[in-house]
Amino acid sequence: MKQEILLRVENLNKVFTIGSIFSRVRIRAVNNVNFEIGNSEIFTLAGESGSGKTTVAKIILGFLEPTSGKILYKGKDISELQKDRAKDLLRKEVQAVFQNPFETFNPLRRVSNYLMETVKNFGISERPEEVIESALNLVGLTWNEVKDKYPSEFSGGQLQRISIARSLLTNPTLLVADEPVSMVDASLRMSIVNLFKDLKEKRGVSVLYITHDLATAYYVSDRIAIMFRGEIVEIGSVEKVLMDPKHPYTMLLKESIPEPDPKKKWTKDIKILTLEEEEYQMKGCKFISRCPYRMEKCKNPVPDVEVDDRLVKCYLYT
């Protein structure tokens, strides 16, 4: 049975203009991005810093306006939903978890105040403490541990779990998690990604998981899209994309993951990819300068090619 689509991103583009009035440069941070997220699915956007992942998330959440393209939530244009009376419902059903929990909470305000206000503002319950206790229990905390405390009294991992609990208070349908484990230690990363799996399996929550950590992406995701310089270069099931990558950039990402086996040492240098403006301006493949398989036709716009049940933006398979 075909999975029902919760969120659909169609031909999404975002162009930023940088520089002075005499030397402006247009950076296409998101270039013709297409993907969809089904009900009760964990979908990952992965790639290095500057690949456009967070920009896509900000557009979905309404923090940025797209240059062109559209986003459909439950079949309706999200830009229209953000304008009319459905705005509150959208905010309730689509919640966010950000990378740095210390930026989420004002250091001069008690964390418990944020939780109480969320419950009251959305009219969730006449017994806010019970609802908050339930959400905190999901992330391994209690109301007594949180009540009347300031952000500085918590570790980064605890504060991130409180941030997730806050997002769960509205009983969301879609959780947009932007690098949610990048600032917590290794012992807590698995507890957070396991929480996402539990939310999907027990509550039917869909998750847009944004990360550069392919290990947690492989563990938690159903499907994955690899982004490079604003474009999705490979998209498909996480098993196929990460275990048998087809795009040269995905291959490079996989090679860069260290394995805990002394017999499998790196045999060559892994180049650190740098942000270069000209690569954003290219009409063809933006990976061409580093690709060992580059061809002359790679300078032309590259089509999406279906290869082994996934889409790959590469001329190798045309």
Side-chain angles (χ1 to χ4, degrees):
M1 190 161 99
K2 191 174 180 181
Q3 188 179 37
E4 187 176 345
I5 302 303
L6 178 66
L7 185 87
R8 188 190 303 275
V9 175
E10 296 183 352
N11 304 316
L12 191 66
N13 291 275
K14 180 62 180 177
V15 178
F16 292 103
T17 302
I18 62 174
S20 66
I21 191 171
F22 300 108
S23 59
R24 289 183 176 176
V25 178
R26 288 165 56 85
I27 300 294
R28 188 173 290 274
V30 177
N31 185 30
N32 199 35
V33 164
N34 295 273
F35 65 85
E36 55 191 35
I37 303 175
N39 284 328
S40 302
E41 179 181 36
I42 299 178
F43 179 85
T44 292
L45 279 180
E48 64 188 40
S49 297
S51 61
K53 310 184 300 295
T54 295
T55 302
V56 172
K58 287 181 177 180
I59 294 173
I60 292 172
L61 293 169
F63 299 150
L64 288 174
E65 289 282 340
T67 302
S68 62
K70 60 183 178 180
I71 299 168
L72 303 177
Y73 176 72
K74 293 183 176 179
K76 297 181 180 179
D77 194 320
I78 208 166
S79 63
E80 295 301 318
L81 292 175
Q82 289 166 343
K83 293 177 183 177
D84 61 24
R85 289 180 296 178
K87 183 176 181 179
D88 288 340
L89 180 61
L90 182 66
R91 288 174 57 204
K92 186 176 182 180
E93 292 189 2
V94 181
Q95 285 286 312
V97 178
F98 300 107
Q99 178 178 7
N100 188 349
F102 290 100
E103 293 181 354
T104 301
F105 300 99
N106 186 327
L108 301 180
R109 294 191 66 199
R110 293 182 176 88
V111 168
S112 52
N113 289 349
Y114 284 92
L115 302 174
M116 293 293 288
E117 285 179 2
T118 300
V119 174
K120 291 178 180 178
N121 290 342
F122 284 97
I124 296 168
S125 173
E126 295 179 356
R127 298 178 179 177
E129 290 189 11
E130 291 182 8
V131 176
I132 293 170
E133 178 75 37
S134 177
L136 288 171
N137 289 345
L138 286 172
V139 299
L141 296 169
T142 66
W143 175 242
N144 287 333
E145 290 177 288
V146 173
K147 188 178 179 181
D148 296 328
K149 290 184 179 180
Y150 290 90
S152 59
E153 297 180 76
F154 298 97
S155 67
Q158 287 176 316
L159 209 55
Q160 187 65 297
R161 284 187 283 163
I162 294 170
S163 179
I164 294 172
R166 182 191 180 196
S167 70
L168 298 178
L169 288 173
T170 64
N171 195 25
T173 306
L174 174 65
L175 202 60
V176 179
D178 186 4
E179 298 279 9
V181 298
S182 64
M183 294 192 67
V184 301
D185 56 53
S187 63
L188 286 173
R189 288 184 184 180
M190 293 312 296
S191 66
I192 290 175
V193 295
N194 277 327
L195 172 60
F196 292 149
K197 293 184 77 170
D198 286 343
L199 290 172
K200 167 202 159 184
E201 294 167 3
K202 297 177 181 178
R203 290 195 170 195
V205 177
S206 296
V207 181
L208 173 56
Y209 180 55
I210 296 171
T211 186
H212 63 271
D213 184 346
L214 295 187
T216 58
Y218 179 76
Y219 176 76
V220 77
S221 309
D222 296 303
R223 291 185 303 121
I224 188 171
I226 304 297
M227 288 194 72
F228 178 74
R229 299 293 188 259
E231 296 182 347
I232 291 178
V233 297
E234 187 165 356
I235 183 171
S237 73
V238 70
E239 185 74 27
K240 286 185 177 292
V241 171
L242 294 187
M243 297 308 294
D244 183 27
K246 298 298 183 184
H247 194 280
Y249 175 63
T250 314
M251 296 177 191
L252 177 69
L253 284 182
K254 184 181 178 183
E255 288 176 8
S256 68
I257 302 174
E259 294 186 47
D261 186 345
K263 296 180 181 179
K264 296 181 179 180
K265 297 180 179 179
W266 278 326
T267 57
K268 58 183 179 180
D269 292 335
I270 301 296
K271 292 184 179 179
I272 302 299
L273 306 182
T274 56
L275 180 65
E276 297 178 15
E277 290 181 5
E278 63 270 18
E279 291 184 332
Y280 280 94
Q281 312 306 319
M282 290 178 182
K283 293 182 179 180
C285 179
K286 294 178 174 58
F287 193 61
I288 188 172
S289 62
R290 299 171 176 84
C291 182
Y293 309 104
R294 60 182 175 268
M295 299 171 278
E296 186 63 27
K297 61 182 177 181
C298 296
K299 296 178 181 179
N300 302 318
V302 187
D304 289 323
V305 185
E306 187 170 348
V307 183
D308 190 23
D309 296 326
R310 100 280 303 269
L311 290 177
V312 185
K313 189 179 286 294
C314 186
Y315 273 114
L316 279 175
Y317 308 101
T318 56

